[in-house]
């Protein structure tokens, strides 16, 4: 879980469970995901594609490719992207979801992810 800095133009001070960014020209979704992990969390890893969908987006619609990765080792966040971060249990996450302001695109992505994992319409 992380909180965005207050001085960023998009979603200042909001919480999210996703890290990411735009795919560069000629770059695959997996390459972009690995690059964003390195830039934002200082992690070198090989993200695995989960699914892609048309996210309606709080700003505008865009294709969101969701990947997952197991992180082993230290996370060194980029303070220009992440003001605070912490590992939360699933229960702690659900409690935080009730108290904190989250980036809605991330909430939608989590709902779809849980639906695919559980085969149900999970509530987040």
């Amino acid at each position: 879980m992380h909180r965005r800095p207050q001085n960023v133009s998009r979603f200042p001070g909001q919480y999210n469970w996703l890290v990411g960014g735009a795919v560069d020209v000629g770059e695959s979704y997996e390459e972009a995901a690995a690059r964003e992990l390195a830039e934002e969390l200082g992690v070198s890893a090989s993200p695995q594609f989960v699914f892609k969908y048309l996210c309606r987006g709080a700003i505008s619609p865009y294709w969101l490719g969701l990947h997952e990765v197991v992180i082993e080792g230290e996370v060194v966040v980029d303070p220009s992207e992440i003001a605070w971060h912490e590992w939360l249990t699933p229960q702690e996450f659900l409690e935080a979801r009730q108290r904190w302001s989250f980036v809605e695109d991330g909430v939608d992505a989590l709902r779809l992810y849980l639906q695919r994992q559980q085969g149900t319409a999970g509530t987040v």
Side-chain angles (χ1 to χ4, degrees), residues 75-119:
V75 172
V76 181
V77 300
D78 176 353
S80 70
E81 298 276 352
I82 297 173
W84 168 90
H85 71 285
E86 187 67 52
W87 298 108
L88 301 180
T89 66
Q91 183 60 39
E92 289 170 333
F93 174 82
L94 291 175
E95 291 169 6
R97 176 67 186 106
Q98 301 303 312
R99 294 189 319 263
W100 301 342
S101 174
F102 277 74
V103 175
E104 283 302 318
D105 295 7
V107 173
D108 290 341
L110 181 59
R111 180 182 49 77
L112 292 173
Y113 178 79
L114 291 174
Q115 285 176 352
R116 289 173 180 261
Q117 296 297 312
Q118 301 167 354

Side-chain angles (χ1 to χ4, degrees), residues 21-24 26-36 47-54 62-67:
V23 177
D24 290 336
E27 187 177 43
S28 71
Y29 276 81
E30 289 76 14
E31 290 168 335
R35 176 179 47 78
E36 291 291 342
Q48 300 300 306
F49 180 79
V50 179
F51 63 88
K52 179 174 79 170
Y53 74 102
L54 181 59
Y62 62 96
W63 287 99
L64 190 149
L66 190 79
H67 296 73

